[in-house]
Amino acid sequence: MEFSERVERISISGIREVFEAASADAINLGLGQPDFPTPDHARQAAVEAIETGKADAYTGNRGTESLREAVAAKFARDQGVDVDPDEVVATAGASEALHVAMEAHVGPGDEVLVPDPGFVSYDALTKVAGAEPVPVELRDDLTLDPAAVEDAVGEDTAAFVVNSPGNPTGAVSPPADAREFARIAREHDVLCLSDEVYEHTVFDGEHRSPLEWERENVVVAGGCSKTYSMTGWRLGWVVGAPARVERMLRVHQYAQACATAASQYAAEAALTGPQDVVAEMCDTFERRRDIVVDRFDEMGLDCPRPQGAFYAMPEVPEGFVDACIDRDVVVVPGEAFGSGGEGRMRVSYATDEADLREALDRMETALATVSR
Ligand SMILES: Cc1ncc(COP(=O)(O)O)c(C=O)c1O
C-alpha cells in the first residue's frame, strides 16, 4: 500500500497512546474536555431542530445566517471587533477551523511558526498542508514571546500560530503581546492564526485577540467545545478577512459541505442564551487550578501558575510520568507537545475535586519513588 508523503509525516497523537496504556479505572488527568454537561438550553435547541425537521437538511456552506450573526455578536461583545457574519464560517469544531486555515494559506516551501510546547494539531496540520513547522520556544512563564516569533520570521514564513489561553500550558498572553502579534503579522505580511478556543476560561489577566488590532492578516479559530462544554457537538468557527474566508470556504465546502445542522442550532442557543454557566465553569476551574498548583508547590514541583484553560504544566523528574501511570493516574508527558515540553508533564484539571485530590495524593507517593 502506498500513502501520501504528507500523511506519512504525521502519527497518531502521543496523548492517545497514554490513554491506551492506562487501566480503565485510572483517574484520567489527560483529557482536554470540560467535565460539565452542555447547557440545557443548547441541548433543547438541537432537540427542537431535530423534531421539527430543521436539522434534516444541509445548511449553507458557511453555516446558518443566524449562527454567524451570533458569532459576530460575540466578537462585538467580547473583543469590541465589528465582524460581518459573512466573515464567519461555521466548522466542525475549532479542529476543522485550524485545518481549513492551514490548507487555505500554506503549502510546500512554506514555514509555519508554532509554539513549542504547543497543541498537537499545529505541527500535524502544517505537515498535512505540505509545509514545514518551525518550533518557537516559550518564555519561562510558558507564554509565547512576540520577540521570539519576530526573530523566527524568515523568507519562507507564511504563518505563525498563537494560542492564548494555551494548551498545554494554561498560559495567557498579556494584552501587549496580543497587540505585538498583530503588528508582526501586519509588518511582515504573514498570517497570524490565533486559536482562541479557551477564550472564556481566564482566571487572571484578560483574553485579548490580535484581531482587535489587525484585520487583514489575522484569522481566528474558535468554538463552543470548551466555553460551553460541547466537545461532542463538533461546532466551531473560523473568522477572517473576506478574501481569506473565501479561500477557507473552498476547502470547507469540499471537505465538509457544512457543519452539522443540529449542532449549529445548539451553538446559536449557547451563544445567545444566558452566559452564567460560563462564569460558573470558569470559577470551578480556578478553584481546581489553585488546588493543583498549591499542591505542586508543596511537593517541590516547579509550575508556572496557569492563568487560564484547565491545564498545568509542571517540571517533573525523569520517570515521573510512568510512576503516575503505574499508580493509575493518567497524565501526558510534555514531549507529546513538542521537544520544548521535555522535562514537564501536562495535567488537565477537568476532573471533579475528589478525584483530583486523590490523584495528587498518588502523585506525591509516585514522586517518592523517582530520583530527583
Ligand atoms: C488549543 C486547542 N485548539 C483547538 C482544539 C480543538 O477543539 P474542538 O473541539 O473545537 O475541535 C483543542 C482541543 O483540545 C485545543 O486544545
Side-chain angles (χ1 to χ4, degrees), residues 77-151:
R77 180 192 71 201
D78 299 336
Q79 275 78 41
V81 175
D82 192 17
V83 165
D84 190 286
D86 282 347
E87 293 173 322
V88 178
V89 180
T91 54
S95 299
E96 198 222 344
L98 294 169
H99 189 198
V100 297
M102 288 288 191
E103 291 293 327
H105 291 99
V106 309
D110 290 333
E111 289 181 350
V112 178
L113 311 181
V114 298
D116 180 18
F119 179 51
V120 288
S121 290
Y122 308 143
D123 178 276
L125 291 175
T126 301
K127 290 174 178 161
V128 168
E132 201 55 48
V134 175
V136 180
E137 224 180 279
L138 305 181
R139 294 181 177 117
D140 288 347
D141 68 359
L142 301 180
T143 56
L144 181 64
D145 184 354
V149 171
E150 194 161 26
D151 277 353

Side-chain angles (χ1 to χ4, degrees), residues 14-326:
I15 305 180
R16 283 274 145 231
E17 285 165 24
V18 177
F19 292 173
E20 276 153 25
S23 81
D25 49 351
I27 302 177
N28 195 338
L29 305 187
L31 287 178
Q33 60 181 344
D35 54 320
F36 302 99
T38 294
D40 201 50
H41 55 274
R43 287 182 178 170
Q44 289 314 316
V47 168
E48 199 245 357
I50 290 166
E51 286 181 348
T52 58
K54 268 198 309 186
D56 289 351
Y58 295 125
T59 69
N61 297 128
R62 290 168 195 265
T64 66
E65 180 78 25
S66 52
L67 170 60
R68 289 181 293 109
E69 279 168 5
V71 173
K74 184 214 82 70
F75 276 89
R77 180 192 71 201
D78 299 336
Q79 275 78 41
V81 175
D82 192 17
V83 165
D84 190 286
D86 282 347
E87 293 173 322
V88 178
V89 180
T91 54
S95 299
E96 198 222 344
L98 294 169
H99 189 198
V100 297
M102 288 288 191
E103 291 293 327
H105 291 99
V106 309
D110 290 333
E111 289 181 350
V112 178
L113 311 181
V114 298
D116 180 18
F119 179 51
V120 288
S121 290
Y122 308 143
D123 178 276
L125 291 175
T126 301
K127 290 174 178 161
V128 168
E132 201 55 48
V134 175
V136 180
E137 224 180 279
L138 305 181
R139 294 181 177 117
D140 288 347
D141 68 359
L142 301 180
T143 56
L144 181 64
D145 184 354
V149 171
E150 194 161 26
D151 277 353
V153 172
E155 233 174 58
D156 295 330
T157 309
F160 63 95
V161 180
V162 300
N163 171 219
S164 173
N167 175 11
T169 61
V172 174
S173 293
D177 287 0
R179 190 183 183 141
E180 272 294 279
F181 294 133
R183 180 194 62 75
I184 293 165
R186 185 172 51 249
E187 283 184 13
H188 295 271
D189 198 20
V190 295
L191 175 70
C192 170
L193 175 52
S194 182
D195 179 348
E196 303 184 7
V197 79
Y198 295 100
E199 63 178 320
H200 289 112
T201 312
V202 177
F203 322 129
D204 316 307
E206 58 175 323
H207 169 72
R208 300 293 292 271
S209 173
L211 195 69
E212 295 174 38
W213 295 280
E214 167 60 27
R215 298 300 300 273
E216 284 297 308
N217 285 352
V218 174
V219 162
V220 174
C224 291
S225 285
K226 318 289 176 170
T227 301
Y228 301 107
S229 197
M230 289 178 68
T231 50
W233 295 83
R234 311 308 307 129
L235 204 290
W237 49 79
V238 68
V239 169
R244 297 191 186 280
V245 163
E246 202 272 328
R247 273 34 173 220
M248 293 190 285
L249 189 59
R250 292 182 199 178
V251 183
H252 171 75
Q253 175 178 14
Y254 294 114
Q256 190 74 19
C258 66
T260 304
S263 295
Q264 292 191 48
Y265 292 108
E268 181 184 332
L271 283 162
T272 55
Q275 300 296 302
D276 45 347
V277 283
V278 178
E280 281 162 25
M281 277 195 268
C282 193
D283 288 348
T284 305
F285 284 134
E286 182 173 3
R287 223 172 26 250
R288 295 179 191 166
R289 185 269 316 256
D290 291 337
I291 292 170
V292 169
V293 179
D294 291 349
R295 192 71 184 275
F296 285 159
D297 264 359
E298 284 166 31
M299 287 157 67
L301 296 177
D302 188 33
C303 182
R305 187 166 286 260
Q307 296 185 299
F310 36 76
Y311 308 107
M313 215 185 183
E315 282 181 35
V316 291
E318 214 183 314
F320 184 62
V321 168
D322 288 338
C324 290
I325 292 171
D326 285 348

